[in-house]
Amino acid sequence: MSDTKSRDLQGLKVFRSSLRRFQDAIDGVRELAEFAERGSQDAFKGSDDLEISISPALGAPSKEKAREAASALANFFQGAKSLASRALELGLKSTEEMPKAEFAELMKEMSSRLKAASTEDFDASKYILETVTVYRRRNRLNVLRSSLLTSVVGDFEVLFATVVGMYFQLRPQALSSKEPQFSWEDIQRYDSLEELRSFHADRQVEQLMWKGFDEWMDWLDKKLKIKFVDISADMDVVTEVFQRRHVIVHNGGKVSRQYLNKVPKSVRGVEIGDDLDVTSEYLDEALEQLYVLGVLMASSVADRLMQDTEVRSVIQSQLSNIVDDALKHRRWKVVARLCRTYADSFDTSIGRDSMRVNLWIAQKHDSGLDSIRGAVESWDVSSLKPEFELAKLALLDKCEEAYGLACKLATQGVLEESEYSSDPLYESLKAWVQAEERLSPFPEKLDKDVSGVAEIVAEEFREGGMRPEDVALEPEG
């Protein structure tokens, strides 16, 4: 085995394991976030309406009474905030008499208003206590999402460090591009030049990781001609995600001047000191953006470094599986971005055509049939395998023709039932089959036993309003 192939195989192992770990991290965060959201919705009875989120054990106050109680609480908070601001301006400590007396007055006023809002069946004080509890639950969910965001950014950092290590592993000559400084103590610590080289590579990775995201992207550009714009779905959104992570970790989630300076394009209407919440929608978008960035980064580095035909085939197979998984979960933006990159880079025509079909599926679901009609109609499938002809018909919603070909390919074993049932490509066709009351291309196989066949035929007659004895067979001859 040549040294090049041996190195490529080592790189392939690193590529596959690191990318799989990153996928698991993204999926794990998404599953945990969805689990938390479902639990939150159950706790709030699936509604954002605070008045029906409160425990039913407190009774069902009228909207008027609920608003009176909420107003009392809001007035107290506003007064307390104003009091705290004045105390700070005057340089008073919280233990001094003036703040304590005014605060006691605020408490007295709120108590009086809550008593007025209470009835025989409704305790406004307990209602407000439950209200605060509900809001704290919602705030805890935001804190959890913030933690999940920092976690997944950390997982991307792990992937990047691994990719940089893979670069030095596959291009050991890159380590000699600068004159490294080693002490005699460093050299004595290792038994071979290979161990010393590994130490030097680890140190290079560690030094790079201390730098920021912008420097990482510059490194990819300088070392491998991989540009940030070519491996991201949206540069501004990705940059903001990393800056928001810094704000969460280093500034308690509050907007800093550095944050505003780093992401001027994607930030509107926030000021220094404002809270940066991580909503479920924000987290979902961040996960998609980081996933695309991680996959495109790792695969682009592998494409630059690995030239062995068999190794590249395995890499492209893994990328196809990644796209198929995104299709299965209906992540159209992810599918479209990955396929635009891979559509023309696969070494085989089948791979390129498959990526093109997947891109069209995503575009059709995201923007409608008209957005792809021209490109699909001009696609020449005459020399391709019949499954691509079926794909073209299905994409164009030519359901009658697609149905006939699907039945034929199913009979021949070319089209698998699992593929037909799960691939979004066939959604329109399956809907048409159901609407037209056609048999599935994969009907249940008939029992070879004659009595079983007879029962099925009889059932078909009954559903059609006929009886078996109504059908007369013409005698032969």
Side-chain angles (χ1 to χ4, degrees):
M1 183 185 298
S2 67
D3 290 342
T4 300
K5 180 154 189 172
S6 177
R7 276 201 302 266
D8 280 4
L9 287 173
Q10 292 175 9
L12 175 64
K13 183 178 180 180
V14 174
F15 169 79
R16 296 187 71 185
S17 61
S18 61
L19 197 52
R20 189 177 295 114
R21 182 193 181 281
F22 182 64
Q23 284 181 271
D24 289 342
I26 292 283
D27 289 340
V29 166
R30 182 177 281 111
E31 289 169 4
L32 183 55
E34 290 174 352
F35 176 80
E37 289 291 338
R38 285 195 301 270
S40 173
Q41 289 172 3
D42 289 343
F44 302 145
K45 304 167 187 64
S47 173
D48 290 331
D49 186 349
L50 185 62
E51 293 172 8
I52 63 172
S53 295
I54 305 302
S55 171
L58 298 179
S62 67
K63 287 183 177 292
E64 181 181 353
K65 289 295 183 182
R67 291 191 185 110
E68 285 183 30
S71 175
L73 179 64
N75 183 74
F76 169 76
F77 280 147
Q78 185 63 35
K81 181 178 179 182
S82 176
L83 178 60
S85 297
R86 278 198 297 121
L88 287 173
E89 289 173 3
L90 295 172
L92 296 173
K93 298 178 180 179
S94 60
T95 56
E96 297 195 33
E97 289 304 316
M98 192 277 282
K100 289 175 66 176
E102 292 197 26
F103 187 79
E105 189 63 32
L106 283 174
M107 290 287 291
K108 182 178 179 181
E109 181 184 356
M110 181 176 67
S111 176
S112 176
R113 293 182 63 176
L114 290 176
K115 286 181 179 178
S118 298
T119 65
E120 186 177 342
D121 300 323
F122 171 57
D123 187 331
S125 297
K126 290 183 179 179
Y127 178 84
I128 287 302
L129 181 61
E130 186 72 6
T131 299
V132 173
T133 301
V134 167
Y135 274 117
R136 290 189 64 187
R137 287 175 187 164
R138 290 176 175 173
N139 187 59
R140 286 198 292 268
L141 189 58
N142 179 65
V143 172
L144 173 62
R145 287 192 294 258
S146 296
S147 298
L148 292 176
L149 180 68
T150 63
S151 172
V152 77
V153 170
D155 287 309
F156 175 84
E157 293 176 358
V158 172
L159 177 65
F160 179 77
T162 306
V163 165
V164 175
M166 182 175 70
Y167 166 79
F168 287 122
Q169 181 184 21
L170 296 178
R171 285 194 179 174
Q173 67 273 18
L175 289 171
S176 60
S177 59
K178 293 183 180 180
E179 292 296 331
Q181 299 296 321
F182 296 105
S183 66
W184 179 246
E185 184 181 357
D186 288 335
I187 296 174
Q188 284 187 313
R189 200 179 293 148
Y190 302 97
D191 296 330
S192 66
L193 181 61
E194 188 62 35
E195 288 186 9
L196 182 61
R197 183 182 290 114
S198 178
F199 162 74
H200 181 36
D202 290 343
R203 191 164 69 175
Q204 293 258 21
V205 173
E206 183 178 353
Q207 290 173 350
L208 179 59
M209 293 309 298
W210 276 106
K211 299 179 180 180
F213 177 74
D214 292 341
E215 287 81 4
W216 300 347
M217 295 300 103
D218 287 343
W219 184 90
L220 288 173
D221 191 6
K222 291 176 183 177
K223 296 295 184 181
L224 292 163
K225 307 301 181 187
I226 297 172
K227 297 186 179 299
F228 183 23
V229 66
D230 294 329
I231 59 174
S232 63
D234 189 312
M235 292 174 60
D236 286 343
V237 174
V238 171
T239 300
E240 196 279 335
V241 167
F242 278 85
Q243 291 305 315
R244 187 168 298 216
R245 178 264 181 192
H246 295 332
V247 166
I248 292 169
V249 173
H250 302 296
N251 207 39
K254 294 186 181 297
V255 174
S256 64
R257 185 167 298 282
Q258 179 185 7
Y259 174 85
L260 292 178
N261 291 337
K262 286 281 189 178
V263 289
K265 293 182 180 179
S266 57
V267 178
R268 295 290 184 272
V270 295
E271 299 178 354
I272 294 175
D274 286 352
D275 289 318
L276 283 178
D277 293 334
V278 178
T279 65
S280 58
E281 294 78 14
Y282 179 92
L283 182 60
D284 189 61
E285 176 68 15
L287 290 174
E288 289 201 351
Q289 293 285 342
L290 289 172
Y291 185 61
V292 168
L293 181 66
V295 172
L296 288 181
M297 177 189 69
S299 59
S300 296
V301 171
D303 184 64
R304 298 287 197 281
L305 298 179
M306 303 179 202
Q307 301 304 316
D308 182 80
T309 303
E310 293 180 1
V311 170
R312 290 176 62 86
S313 177
V314 174
I315 291 173
Q316 290 170 6
S317 177
Q318 183 168 354
L319 295 175
S320 293
N321 292 337
I322 289 173
V323 172
D324 289 342
D325 183 70
L327 270 176
K328 176 183 175 183
H329 291 93
R330 307 176 71 83
R331 299 189 181 112
W332 309 126
K333 291 181 182 179
V334 173
V335 174
R337 186 63 183 87
L338 297 182
C339 289
R340 284 193 185 97
T341 300
Y342 299 139
D344 297 320
S345 63
F346 271 49
D347 294 338
T348 65
S349 59
I350 291 179
R352 292 191 292 272
D353 284 320
S354 296
M355 289 297 102
R356 194 169 294 117
V357 169
N358 290 334
L359 172 59
W360 285 330
I361 293 172
Q363 290 177 325
K364 179 180 177 181
H365 277 274
D366 199 42
S367 304
L369 175 56
D370 288 341
S371 66
I372 65 167
R373 190 187 301 277
V376 178
E377 287 179 341
S378 62
W379 181 32
D380 183 8
V381 296
S382 58
S383 61
L384 302 180
K385 291 186 175 183
E387 47 262 51
F388 288 111
E389 180 184 354
L390 175 60
K392 180 174 181 177
L393 294 172
L395 284 166
L396 294 172
D397 288 345
K398 295 185 176 181
C399 296
E400 184 82 52
E401 297 174 64
Y403 175 71
L405 182 56
C407 291
K408 178 181 177 182
L409 296 182
T411 302
Q412 295 173 348
V414 175
L415 179 64
E416 298 290 338
E417 186 171 7
S418 58
E419 178 186 358
Y420 176 78
S421 62
S422 63
D423 196 329
L425 172 64
Y426 303 113
E427 284 185 0
S428 296
L429 176 57
K430 288 186 291 186
W432 179 87
V433 168
Q434 185 175 12
E436 295 291 319
E437 298 182 346
R438 301 289 185 94
L439 290 175
S440 165
F442 299 91
E444 295 183 7
K445 296 181 180 179
L446 297 180
D447 194 328
K448 293 183 179 180
D449 182 76
V450 176
S451 62
V453 173
E455 182 59 33
I456 292 174
V457 172
E459 182 64 26
E460 288 289 327
F461 282 143
R462 284 193 292 272
E463 290 182 355
M466 300 176 64
R467 296 174 300 172
E469 54 267 28
D470 292 335
V471 180
L473 300 177
E474 292 293 333
E476 296 183 0

